[in-house]
Amino acid sequence: MSKCPEYFIFMCLILGVSTFPDGAPVDACVKERVNQPHHGQARSQPPETSPYQLLQSAADYGPGTQITVTIQGVANFKGFLIQARDVVTNEWIGQWVETPNTKIHPECSAITHSDPKPKQAATLVWQAPKNSRGQVYFTGTVLKGYSEFWSNLVSQIGA
């Protein structure tokens, strides 16, 4: 079973089957395995085997620029956590525009799902800072299910 004391077994079972149906918690941005789910013993599949792609509409940004990020693949997915990062500094940057079925973590420039329904694709909108220019990339995790997910995915320029 797990390493839970006997009086916590019920809670561990409940937590063990939960899939964060309302999205990744904000601390996923800063835990030891950054941007990865902490789903018990489950670990990420190798990124090169991912059936999903992160496509961004552009890399260059200026003040207030909006960039579309699309998650798509050959299979439905249940969740995601995507973070915006500056190409030069690798720091969190910008903010997300809240769209249906998403939740924003402004503390770390991240966006996540807000429902557990299967998704064929997700279109997200990122907004650049009002007073800077540069290049951005997007990285994160896409979950097919609780124990099957791909982390450290990096966006590509796409349509």
Side-chain angles (χ1 to χ4, degrees):
M1 170 133 255
S2 68
K3 298 178 183 176
C4 298
E6 287 180 22
Y7 55 92
F8 286 114
I9 288 176
F10 178 74
M11 285 304 293
C12 288
L13 288 173
I14 296 296
L15 293 173
V17 297
S18 171
T19 59
F20 291 107
D22 60 348
V26 70
D27 65 356
C29 294
V30 295
K31 285 192 172 182
E32 185 177 324
R33 292 187 331 265
V34 176
N35 293 344
Q36 294 190 34
H38 294 269
H39 292 178
Q41 298 300 315
R43 294 293 180 263
S44 177
Q45 304 298 309
E48 62 273 10
T49 68
S50 175
Y52 308 106
Q53 291 181 301
L54 304 179
L55 299 175
Q56 64 185 83
S57 60
D60 296 322
Y61 67 84
T65 301
Q66 288 191 337
I67 294 177
T68 301
V69 178
T70 303
I71 304 169
Q72 62 184 34
V74 297
N76 285 349
F77 57 94
K78 288 193 173 184
F80 58 86
L81 176 67
I82 306 297
Q83 189 176 65
R85 290 186 172 258
D86 183 85
V87 167
V88 175
T89 67
N90 205 38
E91 296 292 321
W92 304 326
I93 189 167
Q95 61 188 18
W96 293 92
V97 175
E98 194 161 354
T99 54
N101 305 314
T102 64
K103 182 169 65 174
I104 298 169
H105 294 313
E107 305 89 340
C108 60
S109 299
I111 190 167
T112 187
H113 61 284
S114 65
D115 70 55
K117 296 175 187 166
K119 301 152 186 53
Q120 292 180 334
T123 301
L124 313 168
V125 179
W126 175 82
Q127 187 157 346
K130 294 178 182 176
N131 57 356
S132 67
R133 295 182 180 281
Q135 291 189 317
V136 64
Y137 75 98
F138 303 91
T139 184
T141 297
V142 179
L143 294 91
K144 185 174 183 179
Y146 181 82
S147 60
E148 189 175 14
F149 54 88
W150 289 263
S151 297
N152 300 317
L153 301 178
V154 176
S155 59
Q156 303 295 317
I157 305 293

